[in-house]
Amino acid sequence: MNTPRMDASGQDDLDRRLRRAFRGIDTREGFEARLMARLEAEAAFHPQPDLSAAKIRADAEYRSARGQLERWVKALLRMLVLDSVAAAAALVAATLALLEVGTRLSASLPSVSGMTGLLEIIAGPGLVFGVLLALSPLLATRLTGSLRSG
Amino acid sequence: MTDTEIAELLKAGRPEEALARLLQAYRRRVFALAFSFLRDRDAAEDVAQEVFVRLWRALPRYDGRASLSTWIYTITRNASVSALRARRTESSLEDPLVLQAVEESAAEVPDDAAADRASLLRLVDSLPEKQRQVVILFYMDEHSHEEVSEMLAMPVGTVKTLLHRARARLAASAGVVQSSEAI
């Protein structure tokens, strides 16, 4: 492509003339006042930005608080799962061991056979409590799920 | 003024102050960018108003992460293109309003200088679109190559090339060419 070339003084002269040519092309006086009037008119149809900003801040705070609560519940759940499984297993094992000991004792020592009924009374609720304890993480998960959906 | 300052003003619940700062920093630039598309002072001013109205509506969502200038220039380009499409007739720098503005600002200069300005504007008007836009933005407020590049969302190298070609054309037409050479 052929491009005309000029010397530095010609370039300076052209630059000066172009700057001068565009001088004075600007918005009319009162641009900002007209804009403010338009924004005031807009306010009738759109929510006030300061109110929107307050709502956005409140939403952000709510999300942050909820996130914190969820993190706390998750951490608690992790602990609860391990603890409850261990406790339930120990309780069931202890109950079964107690029943076994009771059965053997009553077989070899007829004089303590009256205690076997007592052991069975203790072992029944112990087993039920152990099962409930083992199920507690499941219940807690459901509770967290309803918290999230709420 | 930085984007972070604007974000902090908004966070502090002072959107009016944020808008005032933006107007101070960008009014001329937005107008110049719109004018480079539309070549009509009234239409460019309408677009500038529209840009600041859109900005005002969107400001509450601004968190300081995106570049404000990029955002403002994008809104301006889009609004200018929409305004251009909506117009039935092509306007030009020979628009009576533009010439009137030039004449008003040239009231104290001799007639031959005013004639020179009018003829230069006509020459700029005859340039290809992109060259014309670069020339208008570069000379209207003496923006740097980098600023023009950001305003038009084109590489700095392209801006320099377009400006070089436009200057050469204008120089040839304006009678300041010293020699010609193939590049």
Side-chain angles (χ1 to χ4, degrees):
Chain A
M1 177 185 167
N2 288 329
T3 307
R5 193 177 154 188
M6 60 186 151
D7 62 18
S9 65
Q11 182 65 70
D12 288 348
D13 178 56
L14 181 64
D15 283 349
R16 188 176 45 79
R17 288 166 62 192
L18 281 166
R19 281 191 200 100
R20 201 174 54 196
F22 285 106
R23 201 178 299 148
I25 302 175
D26 198 354
T27 53
R28 291 176 187 283
E29 261 185 55
F31 176 87
E32 294 183 15
R34 284 195 296 282
L35 177 66
M36 291 308 160
R38 194 171 159 188
L39 291 178
E40 277 173 28
E42 289 269 326
F45 302 99
H46 296 281
Q48 290 290 328
D50 52 347
L51 291 179
S52 307
K55 188 180 179 305
I56 286 165
R57 275 198 301 279
D59 285 350
E61 282 164 9
Y62 171 72
R63 276 196 301 273
S64 161
R66 193 167 153 158
Q68 250 179 344
L69 179 66
E70 279 182 13
R71 280 192 296 278
W72 184 81
V73 168
K74 269 183 193 169
L76 193 70
L77 260 180
R78 271 197 295 274
M79 282 196 327
L80 193 65
V81 168
L82 290 172
D83 286 357
S84 60
V85 165
L91 199 63
V92 169
T95 310
L96 290 174
L98 206 61
L99 279 175
E100 181 63 26
V101 168
T103 311
R104 287 190 183 188
L105 271 178
S106 63
S108 55
L109 298 170
S111 58
V112 293
S113 62
M115 284 179 69
T116 315
L118 185 66
L119 284 173
E120 280 167 1
I121 291 168
I122 295 169
L127 273 172
V128 171
F129 185 64
V131 170
L132 282 177
L133 200 60
L135 287 176
S136 64
L138 184 69
L139 295 171
T141 310
R142 288 182 71 89
L143 187 74
T144 318
S146 67
L147 184 78
R148 274 199 204 103
S149 62
Chain B
M1 181 205 71
T2 64
D3 293 0
T4 316
E5 282 169 2
I6 294 295
E8 276 169 8
L9 282 173
L10 294 170
K11 212 173 169 183
R14 289 149 65 193
E16 291 86 0
E17 202 176 324
L19 183 70
R21 296 256 191 115
L22 287 173
L23 268 168
Q24 197 180 4
Y26 288 100
R27 180 188 60 80
R28 270 291 289 176
R29 292 175 193 188
V30 165
F31 173 74
L33 182 55
F35 185 81
S36 78
F37 277 91
L38 297 156
R39 293 176 287 153
D40 176 315
R41 192 169 75 168
D42 276 355
E45 181 164 330
D46 285 347
V47 165
Q49 290 261 339
E50 182 62 32
V51 168
F52 283 104
V53 168
R54 286 192 204 176
L55 207 56
W56 175 248
R57 285 182 201 153
L59 266 183
R61 291 190 295 278
Y62 182 68
D63 57 8
R65 276 184 288 186
S67 160
L68 255 179
S69 55
T70 306
W71 183 32
I72 292 172
Y73 294 144
T74 304
I75 296 175
T76 309
R77 284 195 303 273
N78 292 341
S80 300
V81 170
S82 299
L84 209 52
R85 282 187 190 142
R87 281 164 53 177
R88 290 184 183 173
T89 54
E90 269 271 301
S91 70
S92 77
L93 291 172
E94 293 181 70
D95 186 318
L97 286 168
V98 174
L99 292 176
Q100 184 195 332
V102 169
E103 280 158 17
E104 279 167 11
S105 68
E108 295 111 26
V109 298
D111 284 350
D112 54 344
D116 180 53
R117 294 173 78 173
S119 66
L120 256 181
L121 288 178
R122 270 191 286 274
L123 289 177
V124 171
D125 205 31
S126 67
L127 289 172
E129 188 190 1
K130 293 289 172 197
Q131 288 183 22
R132 189 178 60 229
Q133 279 193 295
V134 169
V135 165
I136 290 173
L137 290 174
F138 191 78
Y139 289 104
M140 203 161 145
D141 273 336
E142 299 187 36
H143 294 114
S144 66
H145 293 114
E146 287 73 19
E147 281 176 312
V148 176
S149 144
E150 192 189 5
M151 290 166 100
L152 292 173
M154 58 171 67
V156 179
T158 308
V159 169
K160 287 181 179 171
T161 305
L162 287 169
L163 192 61
H164 173 79
R165 288 181 183 160
R167 274 169 168 161
R169 272 178 187 247
L170 290 170
S173 308
V176 290
V177 180
Q178 303 298 314
S179 63
S180 290
E181 185 180 295
I183 292 179

